[in-house]
Amino acid sequence: MKKLVLLLAAALALTACTAAPEVSSPAEAAPPAETAATGEAAAFPVGTLRMVTPEVMNTGAASVEIPFSGLEAEPILKLDYAAGVQTKLCDIDLSRQIPVAIMQHGDTVEYFWDSEGSTVFAHTAIRPDGSVEEQTIPEKFYPNFYDEYAAYDIWGTTCKRLDWQTGKLTTASLPFVQLDGTCGAIGSKVLLTRVVSDTPLPEGEGNEEMRDAVLQNSLREYDLYDPATNTIEKVFDEPYYPEEHNELRSYLGYCGDKLYFGVTYTDSAAAFSTRNTLVSYDRTAGTWQEECSADSKGGEYSNFWPLLQDGQLRLVVLWRGTDTLTLYSIDNGARYEVPYEEAGSDATGNRNFPIALTDDGRILVTDGYIDRSGMAASRYALIDLGAYLAGSREYTAVEMWTE
């Protein structure tokens, strides 16, 4: 499996609202969702939250990833942007570990995993001196957010917190019902969605039609959840199902007071032509604005690709064509056409696709492939962001790790 595909999947997981695996039962959902505003007070600090994914993490100074080359023992690799060097932190045993999340607090990288059949939950701390410490967790824990103090598992009806310093796991009941999904972090709060309905959502197999009927007359409410106070603040709501069924909207990230969404519209009457539109919601003014849009061309892909810096959205790939990327800058509102070579099935191409923004004003891009243990893996390079947007390919090659 190509690493580029994994990285694409990772970014989508970071920015699209992730559907919650559980929702409240009718008994738990008795209080009306729209009136549930407070819960059990939490007694811990909350710092700058980040959303996590299983495969890759970017801090702005470095990136950490699991390459997933198909081997039972896979390395965890760290790329230091300042040095331009990728090194191995440790090996993980995929025969007994299923990756859940990678994150970092201070100089320690944390790798969370569970076992086949979810009988063991654990995390492995990788220290700056190269030492590795594995610690089990007493119950199911799938962290989707973290800060400098702890990792958080916000699903279903609870917020679980694993403290970095003490290793203590605590649980608080969420102050609302019918969690729909988690979208991302905004400072010390979590942007999430929940279903607001007149009747509780029916659960279990065989109730799909009834559930769909309830959702047809429900709202999807976007809220900011504060783990420190265990309270929520409404941002806006919308019909759960859009009036225009050919429209698909996904959350991409935030910048300042604005939330950004990618809207893909497919016109079946016009030979399935597609338009991608970037829209923003101003939380202070409570208003929507169209930022830009782009129509599809032959052979182009329609997925958005967001690039964050210090947790905020800075750059968005609107279109990914066969040889050109269309990008939009949140900072200056300008559009750019950047040449690139798409990844081929025979380990060819895969050049100039943006992966991550760095704190020092550069951008990490793909630069073909390397051979790693007989498998093709993406090679990386760094380039000044302004030069990249101007179409330059004056790369600084990354020294890639190979065994």
Side-chain angles (χ1 to χ4, degrees), residues 3 6 54-57 64-69 74-77 92 94 99-102 111-112 372:
K3 186 190 304 180
L6 290 170
E55 298 99 356
V56 63
M57 173 199 68
V64 179
E65 66 175 284
I66 304 173
F68 288 104
S69 55
E74 292 281 3
I76 295 182
L77 303 176
I92 59 175
L94 291 183
V100 171
I102 295 178
Y111 161 61
F112 282 79
R372 183 179 289 144

Side-chain angles (χ1 to χ4, degrees), residues 64-305:
V64 179
E65 66 175 284
I66 304 173
F68 288 104
S69 55
L71 305 174
E72 282 195 354
E74 292 281 3
I76 295 182
L77 303 176
K78 182 175 183 177
L79 169 56
D80 183 288
Y81 296 146
V85 176
Q86 185 184 60
T87 56
K88 183 175 76 169
L89 297 181
C90 68
D91 284 311
I92 59 175
D93 183 2
L94 291 183
S95 67
R96 71 181 185 94
Q97 300 174 352
I98 300 173
V100 171
I102 295 178
M103 58 194 75
Q104 180 172 326
H105 57 95
D107 293 327
T108 299
V109 172
E110 297 277 358
Y111 161 61
F112 282 79
W113 53 275
D114 70 351
S115 64
E116 189 72 34
S118 299
T119 57
V120 176
F121 299 89
H123 65 110
T124 301
I126 308 166
R127 312 295 184 191
D129 62 3
S131 62
V132 176
E133 180 184 2
E134 184 176 299
Q135 298 178 337
T136 58
I137 304 172
E139 60 183 84
K140 182 175 70 173
F141 189 74
Y142 293 124
N144 46 3
F145 295 91
Y146 72 100
D147 60 18
E148 56 267 42
Y149 303 108
Y152 303 82
D153 177 357
I154 302 173
W155 286 127
T157 61
T158 63
C159 172
K160 297 180 182 179
R161 180 183 184 273
L162 182 71
D163 190 280
W164 294 133
Q165 200 167 40
T166 66
K168 183 180 179 182
L169 185 66
T170 56
T171 301
S173 297
L174 292 174
F176 54 84
V177 294
Q178 300 186 162
L179 175 64
D180 182 51
T182 53
C183 302
I186 300 180
S188 61
K189 299 179 181 179
V190 172
L191 180 67
L192 53 80
T193 60
R194 62 193 184 98
V195 177
V196 178
S197 58
D198 292 332
T199 58
L201 288 174
E203 294 301 306
E205 294 184 9
N207 289 321
E208 290 81 7
E209 289 187 8
M210 187 178 299
R211 178 183 173 86
D212 187 67
V214 173
L215 291 175
Q216 291 283 354
N217 298 289
S218 300
L219 296 175
R220 175 186 282 112
E221 182 174 296
Y222 285 78
D223 297 294
L224 287 174
Y225 170 63
D226 186 348
T229 60
N230 203 29
T231 59
I232 58 171
E233 172 191 351
K234 179 180 176 180
V235 181
F236 69 90
D237 60 33
E238 62 184 5
Y240 190 85
Y241 289 130
E243 295 181 5
E244 178 53 68
H245 294 290
N246 292 332
E247 181 180 295
L248 177 65
R249 185 165 78 182
S250 59
Y251 174 72
L252 300 177
Y254 84 101
C255 186
D257 287 334
K258 287 187 174 183
L259 308 179
Y260 290 86
F261 297 82
V263 181
T264 299
Y265 176 78
T266 303
D267 186 356
S268 58
F272 293 99
S273 66
T274 304
R275 164 169 287 196
N276 270 1
T277 302
L278 181 69
V279 298
S280 64
Y281 178 79
D282 190 311
R283 292 189 290 137
T284 301
T287 56
W288 288 91
Q289 177 179 330
E290 181 177 316
E291 301 290 337
C292 64
S293 63
D295 290 321
S296 66
K297 301 171 185 177
E300 289 198 334
Y301 303 91
S302 62
N303 56 292
F304 291 89
W305 177 256

